[in-house]
Amino acid sequence: MLPIYMALIDDEEDKSNFENIVNKYERKLYREAFKILNSHELAEEAVWEAFYRIAENFKKVHNLPVYKMDA
């Protein structure tokens, strides 16, 4: 799914930054989603929906301070 979402981002540096965000937060998001949804499939879908929204709005999101990104 990552290549599909990266197609939403124009700048190569932003694509690299987005990939770093996915690598950093994918497991954490999945764990939290699974705790709430109790389903592997739904948790996976929720995680990638979140990344889709981040990719769509990456120009707004990528400059957030680290503590806001973690939240």
Side-chain angles (χ1 to χ4, degrees), residues 22-35:
V22 169
N23 290 335
K24 182 174 181 180
Y25 292 103
E26 183 178 10
R27 287 186 182 148
K28 182 177 182 178
L29 285 173
Y30 177 82
R31 280 193 309 269
E32 294 302 317
F34 185 77
K35 285 181 197 176

Side-chain angles (χ1 to χ4, degrees), residues 1-33:
M1 288 217 141
L2 184 59
I4 294 169
Y5 294 162
M6 288 180 71
L8 297 170
I9 301 170
D10 297 326
D11 183 81
E12 289 302 317
E13 185 178 343
D14 286 348
K15 286 181 182 187
S16 177
N17 290 334
F18 178 73
E19 188 173 8
N20 290 337
I21 289 171
V22 169
N23 290 335
K24 182 174 181 180
Y25 292 103
E26 183 178 10
R27 287 186 182 148
K28 182 177 182 178
L29 285 173
Y30 177 82
R31 280 193 309 269
E32 294 302 317

Side-chain angles (χ1 to χ4, degrees), residues 38-50:
N38 294 316
S39 164
H40 294 290
E41 293 82 12
L42 291 176
E44 180 101 4
E45 186 176 336
V47 167
W48 286 104
E49 177 67 25

Side-chain angles (χ1 to χ4, degrees), residues 11 13-14 17-18 21 25 54 57-70:
D11 183 81
E13 185 178 343
D14 286 348
N17 290 334
F18 178 73
I21 289 171
Y25 292 103
I54 291 169
N57 297 290
F58 197 72
K59 289 287 183 198
K60 298 175 191 173
V61 174
H62 83 284
N63 287 326
L64 288 175
V66 173
Y67 70 91
K68 286 190 175 183
M69 186 67 77
D70 282 342

